[in-house]
Amino acid sequence: MLYQIKQYIKFLLKSTNQHGVHSPFVYNLVTKCFYDTANYPAYKNIINYRNALLKAKTNIKVTDLGAGSRVLKRTQRSVPDMAKNAGTTYKRAKLLHRLVRYFEFETILELGTSLGIATQAMHLANPKADITSIEGCPNISNFTKANFEKHNLNHITVITDNFDNATKALASNKYDFIFFDGNHQKEATLKYFETLIETAHNDSVFIFDDIYWSKDMTEAWETIKQHPKVSVSIDTFFWGFVFFRKEQVKEHFVIRV
């Protein structure tokens, strides 16, 4: 936690808003998506889905395959505790929704389904998009699959497997958007990035969750930024964005969202 506090102070000192951005592509993304203040009708569905989880009476026996939770240490966890402490926040779910709307993603891969809060937000932005989500814990996977059916969320495929196996099996596909939100360890993050970069095209977007989770995760993020196929990267503190646009000059941005 102390590491994150120190890094956040550094982030605040370095970060800017749209006025510090000279790239038209990034400027438009910041002003038309990041800072979009429209109250989309789907936001009500997003918060209703999350609130339903916060009121659930279910307990789940959890198998942690990644770095695990800093807050939830017991293997037997209540769904409300998971939604509150490990699930995507309402603010970030809304941003994910806007991102899918803005870029009109049609093929989406998510590493780390959890309770499906992020998945649902992305689905609502484009109900026809094909979303594949990987969840390592069978019990969480079964719960969330049933929840998707309950909420009539279609075109979502949940793969129950460890990320090593699943990413290798999916490496021949092409994805518009990949959300890395399941294993906050340096070696694993870099491995999945190297495997899945083959699925990227010129307009693909990758997001890495919790790039300041630990010193190791920040090191992974720094390595990813320097990859020769990455042209533009954006650090929003809680997420790291990378783009592969060959027409863009390689540049790194630190943006307050």
Side-chain angles (χ1 to χ4, degrees):
M1 184 61 73
L2 182 60
Y3 173 78
Q4 290 179 318
I5 292 170
K6 288 180 178 178
Q7 294 304 311
Y8 188 62
I9 293 170
K10 291 180 182 179
F11 169 83
L12 291 176
L13 294 173
K14 290 188 296 183
S15 60
T16 186
N17 54 23
Q18 74 270 27
H19 300 299
V21 174
H22 302 294
S23 160
F25 169 75
V26 177
Y27 180 86
N28 286 333
L29 173 61
V30 172
T31 57
K32 296 179 181 180
C33 180
F34 287 4
Y35 296 165
D36 180 2
T37 58
N39 187 20
Y40 292 104
Y43 287 174
K44 185 176 181 180
N45 291 332
I46 291 170
I47 200 163
N48 286 343
Y49 182 91
R50 191 170 188 274
N51 284 343
L53 293 170
L54 291 171
K55 295 175 183 176
K57 305 296 184 183
T58 309
N59 290 324
I60 299 177
K61 187 176 182 181
V62 175
T63 304
D64 274 325
L65 300 182
S69 169
R70 281 203 173 101
V71 179
L72 304 174
K73 298 301 182 184
R74 293 177 298 175
T75 57
Q76 195 78 16
R77 301 173 191 170
S78 75
V79 168
D81 282 348
M82 291 171 62
K84 181 180 179 181
N85 296 300
T88 301
T89 65
Y90 179 49
K91 180 180 178 180
R92 296 185 198 180
K94 289 194 296 181
L95 178 52
L96 272 177
H97 180 81
R98 295 198 301 274
L99 284 163
V100 175
R101 284 180 59 98
Y102 181 79
F103 286 110
E104 299 180 339
F105 296 133
E106 295 182 353
T107 52
I108 297 171
L109 175 62
E110 177 185 35
L111 275 65
T113 315
S114 189
L115 300 176
I117 297 173
T119 326
Q120 185 241 14
M122 294 187 289
H123 166 81
L124 292 175
N126 182 4
K128 293 183 179 179
D130 288 320
I131 300 177
T132 301
S133 191
I134 307 169
E135 175 53 52
C137 174
N139 294 331
I140 294 177
S141 179
N142 290 335
F143 172 86
T144 303
K145 283 181 190 176
N147 213 28
F148 287 161
E149 291 181 12
K150 178 181 176 182
H151 289 268
N152 297 311
L153 305 180
N154 303 311
H155 301 290
I156 300 174
T157 302
V158 179
I159 297 174
T160 309
D161 202 349
N162 65 66
F163 290 176
D164 282 353
N165 293 336
T167 53
K168 288 175 185 175
L170 298 170
S172 60
N173 296 342
K174 289 294 178 186
Y175 292 104
D176 299 332
F177 178 44
I178 301 183
F179 184 35
F180 295 77
D181 181 27
N183 190 325
H184 300 92
Q185 299 177 92
K186 177 181 178 180
E187 184 179 342
T189 298
L190 291 175
K191 183 195 302 182
Y192 307 144
F193 170 68
E194 290 289 354
T195 299
L196 293 172
I197 199 170
E198 299 303 319
T199 72
H201 54 77
N202 193 67
D203 297 316
S204 294
V205 181
F206 286 8
I207 292 181
F208 296 86
D209 183 61
D210 280 336
I211 54 175
Y212 293 101
W213 170 274
S214 65
K215 187 173 181 290
D216 276 357
M217 266 303 291
T218 306
E219 289 175 358
W221 168 240
E222 292 298 325
T223 300
I224 288 164
K225 281 164 47 180
Q226 299 306 318
H227 193 283
K229 288 187 178 180
V230 171
S231 58
V232 174
S233 59
I234 302 175
D235 176 349
T236 66
F237 190 77
F238 54 89
W239 285 344
F241 293 69
V242 296
F243 304 84
F244 306 91
R245 293 162 55 85
K246 293 177 181 176
E247 63 271 32
Q248 296 283 137
V249 175
K250 194 173 185 75
E251 197 169 359
H252 177 61
F253 299 87
V254 183
I255 305 290
R256 292 187 296 272
V257 178

